[in-house]
Amino acid sequence: MIGSDGFGYYSYLPALFIYHDLSFSFFNEVYPKYYEVNKNFSPATRHMINEFDGHRVNKYSPGISILLCPFFLLALLSAKLGGFAADGYSKIFQFTIAFAVLFYVWLGLVFLKRLLNRYNYVPWLVSLTIILTLFGSNLYSCAITSYSPSYAHCYLFFLVSLFCYQATLLFNNNNDPKEQTIFWLLFSLSLIIVIRPQDGLIILTLPLFGLTFRKMKEVIKRIFNSAAGLFGVFISALLFASVLFLWYEQTGSFFINPYHGERFDLLRPHIPDFLLGFRFGWLTYTPLMLFALSGIFLLKGKATFTLLVFWSTVIYILSSWWCWIYPGPALGQRVMVEYYPVAALTLIALLDFFHKKKQDAFVLAIPFLIIPLNVLQTHQFKMGIIPYEYASSESYFRNFFKTKPVPQYPIPKPIIESRTEILIRDLSILTQSNRFSAGKKVPLPDFIKTDDYSHIRASLRMRSNTLKTKDEVVFDFRHRGKSISWTGFGLSPYIYDKEWSYYECGMLLPSTVAPGDSLEFYVWKPEGNDSTFVENLKLEFIRINDSYDFRTHR
């Protein structure tokens, strides 16, 4: 449950309560116990520590740790009482984080329901909107996909739901709101900003909930004339101060940019790809939001203008981040999940419009279409059927209804700069006495270089009389006849029902390879008495350009 960005968000808890070490050096020792070590990504603290100007700082905010603290302490107590490893990363801690994310998603939906109920929609439309928000969007993926529970987005979904609900109590209420409303509004907003400062854009929605200049002056007066308001200001200041304190403890400076070298490039937004691209496109993988955005134009007065400004600003800024695809363990654009309470307001407006037009059949058709598609695509993403890298329209539609793992190494055609292929049409039968297929030894093309733009891809057709063959496609890189890099790709996971099937695999050119080296490729049966049939073995050397890449000069 804890991984990738989640290492940084979560690590404050074991650092403070177990290891008393804000340098996070303990992480390099505990990491190999529970995670596969990647020698190219060493030390383990590289997952979260940014190093610059002689400083080492956890670039992730402690805000998520604040929300996880009760669950962490419960896990720590359980570990000590139950005899589990009390190191912060054993199974009891992983399980607790899984429970925590479900709790906060549920609590976010509770506040979202209260928010929708304030607009007097019929109850079944409120229930349908709640169901669609969870199971029809990538909120579902963020809650259940590996590592996602330790990412920020589900927790921010809860905080934004809380913020919006408190805002409508405070600004859109004929009765005098309770003083505690001011506290919860200040608390949720400050914690949102502490976790992800760009999500402070949620304040742009306040006019939607009834904020006017006159009401703002009244609220400011109440803040400084009530115990709840002053307590809210104190807690907010404490949250911001905690970030500054942690920065100072790590770097000796109160004011730094922990994301040193990473930035927003506001002159180069990737809006079309961010919204509609097949590489994590928001609307491509969460089509429910097309309905939600359509509902903006059904609202009255300044609400439509407010939401157009809000969504335009959010999309423009988020699509300007240097890594605009926001890769991660969840389907689609995970950074939009926290804004779904706002999207729910216009989604239910659309559903209500068709309900009043007596078009309930259309209303009910939406979940029957959207939810199965979202659940299917979440499964496809988890299984690698929707590629984590280099997804394209070709791979998307080719695998649209696939549910089993697909052997693929997709490279979109528009980014291919140079390409050459070697084809072996011979049929090879691999048995106990014949363990090698037909193959070739070829020199590396001149356009292939050891960087992030040179790929090698192999494909073939295969059939086996067993589903548990040990056969592998082999890439053996050689320098002056001596093997310098050897990689095997197993066929077994992709053999189904003893029928002919297509197989594809690939890799970046290894950094150990130099110009003039060669590659020997073939299919190898290391053991077993089964028979495997291989034909149309093809090898491709591919050089791509950077037009599809998410990197920019930092």
Side-chain angles (χ1 to χ4, degrees):
M1 295 297 123
I2 307 166
S4 192
D5 292 9
F7 285 133
Y9 287 121
Y10 169 81
S11 61
Y12 293 97
L13 293 169
L16 292 172
F17 290 100
I18 298 176
Y19 301 99
H20 313 293
D21 174 18
L22 282 175
S23 72
F24 302 98
S25 58
F26 67 87
F27 188 67
N28 289 325
E29 299 178 9
V30 73
Y31 182 85
K33 296 180 181 179
Y34 303 105
Y35 301 91
E36 182 179 352
V37 176
N38 184 345
K39 294 181 180 179
N40 295 324
F41 208 76
S42 180
T45 47
R46 283 188 57 190
H47 286 283
M48 58 188 178
I49 297 297
N50 213 345
E51 299 189 25
F52 58 94
D53 300 334
H55 299 308
R56 298 180 73 255
V57 62
N58 185 344
K59 69 178 184 178
Y60 298 100
S61 151
I64 298 301
S65 286
I66 293 172
L67 293 175
L68 291 177
C69 188
F71 299 90
F72 172 83
L73 294 176
L74 177 62
L76 184 59
L77 177 63
S78 300
K80 291 183 175 181
L81 294 178
F84 300 101
D87 56 13
Y89 296 89
S90 60
K91 286 187 178 181
I92 186 68
F93 294 93
Q94 304 280 352
F95 175 82
T96 304
I97 298 304
F99 179 78
V101 76
L102 296 179
F103 171 79
Y104 281 113
V105 168
W106 168 78
L107 199 57
L109 294 172
V110 168
F111 283 108
L112 178 57
K113 180 181 178 182
R114 293 180 181 181
L115 173 66
L116 297 178
N117 280 334
R118 290 189 56 79
Y119 293 91
N120 298 317
Y121 291 110
V122 295
W124 72 271
L125 285 180
V126 173
S127 298
L128 181 59
T129 302
I130 296 295
I131 292 170
L132 280 168
T133 300
L134 176 58
F135 294 108
S137 77
N138 55 337
L139 172 61
Y140 172 70
S141 177
C142 280
I144 68 166
T145 308
S146 180
Y147 291 174
S148 285
S150 59
Y151 276 53
H153 309 291
C154 289
Y155 306 95
L156 285 165
F157 168 79
F158 151 68
L159 289 171
V160 171
S161 290
L162 175 62
F163 172 83
C164 293
Y165 175 63
Q166 300 301 330
T168 193
L169 287 179
L170 189 60
F171 299 117
N172 190 17
N173 196 322
N174 294 325
N175 300 318
D176 191 28
K178 297 179 180 179
E179 289 187 357
Q180 65 186 34
T181 300
I182 298 176
F183 167 79
W184 287 114
L185 186 75
L186 292 172
F187 171 78
S188 57
L189 178 60
S190 57
L191 193 50
I192 287 169
I193 296 173
V194 163
I195 293 172
R196 284 176 66 87
Q198 58 267 43
D199 286 344
L201 292 170
I202 194 64
I203 64 174
L204 296 177
T205 63
L206 287 176
L208 179 68
F209 305 115
L211 174 67
T212 62
F213 183 70
R214 180 181 61 82
K215 288 185 178 181
M216 176 57 73
K217 291 195 299 182
E218 293 175 359
V219 169
I220 292 175
K221 288 181 180 178
R222 292 191 60 177
I223 288 175
F224 293 99
N225 287 283
S226 67
L230 291 173
F231 187 55
V233 171
F234 171 75
I235 293 297
S236 298
L238 195 61
L239 288 172
F240 292 118
S242 68
V243 177
L244 301 181
F245 169 77
L246 289 169
W247 285 348
Y248 182 80
E249 283 293 307
Q250 295 174 80
T251 68
S253 177
F254 284 110
F255 299 98
I256 62 168
N257 174 18
Y259 279 81
H260 182 79
E262 303 178 64
R263 62 187 178 91
F264 289 97
D265 188 351
L266 297 178
L267 298 179
R268 295 180 59 191
H270 295 263
I271 294 174
D273 291 323
F274 182 88
L275 293 177
L276 297 170
F278 287 92
R279 195 183 187 193
F280 292 92
W282 181 38
L283 301 180
T284 303
Y285 295 105
T286 313
L288 175 68
M289 292 301 132
L290 286 169
F291 295 99
L293 295 178
S294 300
I296 292 175
F297 302 98
L298 298 175
L299 301 182
K300 298 178 181 179
K302 63 181 180 182
T304 297
F305 176 77
T306 298
L307 286 174
L308 286 175
V309 170
F310 168 73
W311 284 116
S312 298
T313 305
V314 166
I315 291 168
Y316 170 70
I317 290 179
L318 294 183
S319 67
S320 299
W321 185 239
W322 74 274
C323 184
W324 55 268
I325 64 169
Y326 299 93
L331 178 70
Q333 283 292 354
R334 56 186 171 87
V335 293
M336 301 300 286
V337 165
E338 43 260 54
Y339 299 114
Y340 288 170
V342 181
L345 292 170
T346 50
L347 175 60
I348 197 171
L350 181 73
L351 300 179
D352 184 63
F353 172 79
F354 285 103
H355 170 65
K356 289 178 178 177
K357 295 288 185 180
K358 301 188 183 302
Q359 297 293 325
D360 287 346
F362 176 80
V363 173
L364 294 174
I366 294 176
F368 280 103
L369 292 173
I370 292 295
I371 292 177
L373 175 63
N374 186 64
V375 173
L376 171 65
Q377 292 192 334
T378 300
H379 169 78
Q380 289 177 327
F381 185 76
K382 291 177 67 176
M383 300 297 290
I385 301 168
I386 294 176
Y388 177 82
E389 279 291 335
Y390 296 125
S392 65
S393 58
E394 179 185 3
S395 63
Y396 179 83
F397 291 109
R398 181 179 64 193
N399 303 325
F400 194 83
F401 290 109
K402 298 289 180 63
T403 57
K404 295 180 180 179
V406 175
Q408 60 181 343
Y409 192 77
I411 301 178
K413 293 178 181 178
I415 69 170
I416 296 178
E417 191 174 86
S418 302
R419 175 180 169 275
T420 186
E421 69 175 46
I422 295 93
L423 179 63
I424 304 174
R425 297 188 181 276
D426 300 353
L427 172 66
S428 298
I429 304 175
L430 278 64
T431 61
Q432 186 177 18
S433 59
N434 179 37
R435 297 195 178 276
F436 296 91
S437 75
K440 279 190 178 181
K441 180 180 180 181
V442 295
L444 299 180
D446 293 337
F447 61 81
I448 291 291
K449 303 176 182 179
T450 54
D451 55 19
D452 290 338
Y453 300 98
S454 295
H455 297 259
I456 300 171
R457 179 167 64 185
S459 61
L460 54 90
R461 293 184 73 244
M462 62 179 181
R463 181 171 66 87
S464 177
N465 62 3
T466 178
L467 300 180
K468 297 182 179 181
T469 182
K470 302 291 185 180
D471 298 4
E472 295 182 343
V473 175
V474 173
F475 290 167
D476 187 4
F477 295 91
R478 294 181 168 269
H479 177 72
R480 296 180 180 178
K482 182 180 178 181
S483 179
I484 55 175
S485 179
W486 189 98
T487 303
F489 297 89
L491 303 181
S492 180
Y494 308 104
I495 293 177
Y496 308 120
D497 302 326
K498 303 178 183 179
E499 297 179 353
W500 283 98
S501 59
Y502 176 80
Y503 178 88
E504 184 178 281
C505 63
M507 62 182 295
L508 279 171
L509 190 71
S511 59
T512 55
V513 176
D517 292 341
S518 61
L519 171 63
E520 188 172 350
F521 73 104
Y522 50 87
V523 181
W524 173 49
K525 181 182 292 295
E527 61 180 79
N529 299 321
D530 56 297
S531 298
T532 303
F533 300 83
V534 175
E535 68 176 14
N536 294 344
L537 179 59
K538 181 170 70 174
L539 180 72
E540 298 172 272
F541 295 97
I542 301 172
R543 178 77 179 173
I544 66 172
N545 58 42
D546 64 357
S547 62
Y548 195 67
D549 206 339
F550 54 79
R551 291 172 299 177
T552 60
H553 294 294
R554 302 192 196 178

